Amino acid sequence: MFDVPDDCYYLESHEWYRPADGRVGITDFAQDELGDVVFVELPDDGDELTVDDQFGVVESIKAVSDLYSPVSGTVADTNDTLHDKPELVNDDPFGDGWMLELDDVPEDTVDALLTPEEYREQIE
Amino acid sequence: MGARTPPLRGTHEADGATFTDFGGWEMPVQFEGIRAEHAAVREEAGKFDVSHMGEIRVRGPDADELTSRLTSNDVSALDHGDAQYAAITNDAGAMLDDTVVYRLPESDDDDLLFVPNAGHDDQMYRRWTDHRDEWDLAAEVENVTAEYAMFAVQGPDAPGLVDDLADADLSTLSRFSAQYADVAGVECWVARTGYTGEDGFELVLPAEHAETVWDALDCRPCGLGARDTLRQEYGFLLSGQDFDPETNPRTPVEADIGFAVDVDHDFPGRDVVADQLEHGTDEVFTGLVLTERGVPRHGYEVRADGERIGELTSGTMSPTLDQPIGLGYIDTGYAEDGQGVTVVIRGEEKTAEITTPPFL
């Protein structure tokens, strides 16, 4: 079974957003589908994102996948550790494999996301 | 038409494989993960189900002549049990497929088996039978793809592992040679060939005994994902990707497999290919290593001084080197080791260096 933490909200394209720390990443299901992650391209601090903006790219050995922002906000931080250790996305997608930290996230963009229950149904 | 499946589709699924369409076949792309499978083959041994590869048998007094006239290499040079790599070309010299041709030891008549790529078996069967009829040759051509399973066992431990299961001494079998042997009690056509750059064997065996042999091979099951990264590290061509008669027609000389061409016999496009061997080609298949972060992929443009000088046909993060590598066709003037180039990745030029494969 794939990990779907209750403190996150989800996009249909398998990104997660956690209101508690403003972080964004890809789900356990997504990392499993991709296989061994070898490269992550992330935006710059200060970039403004709106919902569904492409903010970067994740590449596994076998495939390239675009990354979409689950919410609107300003990029406050990116996980630069992923440059040298992209495998963290596989090992710990909701923890050390996080990708972005967003500030100024409007509440209504969160409301539009899938709840953990809804996301579990999607990947079943 | 639905997807064709290997005899062990169910076994692989139970072993946790994920599947992909490959030339119309539903094949395992990975079991536990490409990186682990890749490492197993480089360091120990891995087994691949490659039953999507075709098998065409050509027998009879004119089997040699028919096959010689349709392949770039010299079939007559093959002794019983020899294997030979060859291209199958059209009248323009462009490769329709690449293949390995074996001479089977069965009878006094010419008796050949060749292995076209996934999904090409029908087309090659028709090509052989049409030309046989046109040239009025006496040869029986059989598409036996569905009757056989094919496994590859590759890696430094692979020869010992297969040898231990066999009733014959396979350890002395030389590269690009083959023989019949019982492996786990099943008669297999065992060839010292492969597609990973490692030592090992490829086994062709009756489909009904596939499970017995597969289960007896005591090493890690690997999917087509690892097969792809392994072959890229050695610069081996992937049919339909590194050359394709429709989308990217390439001659054997452009594809840098001139060693598989014998111009002293006639084959389709021979004059084009002979001329290229003598005078060279505008573009040639070679490799590069990206010196910036990123992953080269099929279809990415290669530039020098801002000008387009070629395009990649394959690329990946090399699991062995942990470096991004690419393969493709580059303007011959730039195809020299150490030449600085760039690869356009999502609109940005990333620096790279031409590196003639193999990369290891």
Short mmCIF file of all heavy atoms in Angstrom, two decimals, chain A residues 10 38 65 102 114 118:
data_model
loop_
_atom_site.label_atom_id
_atom_site.label_comp_id
_atom_site.label_asym_id
_atom_site.label_seq_id
_atom_site.Cartn_x
_atom_site.Cartn_y
_atom_site.Cartn_z
N TYR A 10 -3.73 16.92 -2.13
CA TYR A 10 -3.13 16.29 -3.32
C TYR A 10 -3.69 16.84 -4.63
O TYR A 10 -4.86 17.23 -4.71
CB TYR A 10 -3.36 14.77 -3.26
CG TYR A 10 -2.74 14.18 -2.02
CD1 TYR A 10 -3.46 14.11 -0.81
CD2 TYR A 10 -1.43 13.74 -2.04
CE1 TYR A 10 -2.89 13.60 0.34
CE2 TYR A 10 -0.84 13.22 -0.88
CZ TYR A 10 -1.57 13.16 0.30
OH TYR A 10 -0.98 12.66 1.44
N VAL A 38 16.66 10.30 -10.85
CA VAL A 38 18.07 10.65 -11.06
C VAL A 38 18.30 12.15 -11.20
O VAL A 38 19.44 12.60 -11.22
CB VAL A 38 18.64 9.94 -12.30
CG1 VAL A 38 18.71 8.43 -12.07
CG2 VAL A 38 17.84 10.24 -13.56
N SER A 65 9.12 13.63 -16.13
CA SER A 65 7.79 14.04 -15.70
C SER A 65 7.79 15.51 -15.31
O SER A 65 8.68 15.95 -14.57
CB SER A 65 7.36 13.23 -14.48
OG SER A 65 6.38 12.32 -14.83
N LEU A 102 6.45 26.94 0.06
CA LEU A 102 5.72 28.09 -0.48
C LEU A 102 5.21 28.99 0.65
O LEU A 102 4.75 28.50 1.69
CB LEU A 102 4.54 27.63 -1.33
CG LEU A 102 4.86 26.87 -2.62
CD1 LEU A 102 3.59 26.37 -3.28
CD2 LEU A 102 5.65 27.75 -3.59
N LEU A 114 -7.42 17.60 -3.67
CA LEU A 114 -8.01 16.34 -3.23
C LEU A 114 -7.66 16.11 -1.76
O LEU A 114 -6.52 16.37 -1.34
CB LEU A 114 -7.46 15.17 -4.05
CG LEU A 114 -7.69 15.18 -5.56
CD1 LEU A 114 -6.98 13.97 -6.20
CD2 LEU A 114 -9.17 15.13 -5.88
N GLU A 118 -9.85 11.21 -0.94
CA GLU A 118 -10.11 11.30 -2.38
C GLU A 118 -8.89 10.82 -3.19
O GLU A 118 -9.03 10.16 -4.21
CB GLU A 118 -10.46 12.73 -2.77
CG GLU A 118 -11.86 13.13 -2.32
CD GLU A 118 -12.10 14.64 -2.37
OE1 GLU A 118 -11.13 15.42 -2.38
OE2 GLU A 118 -13.28 15.04 -2.38
#
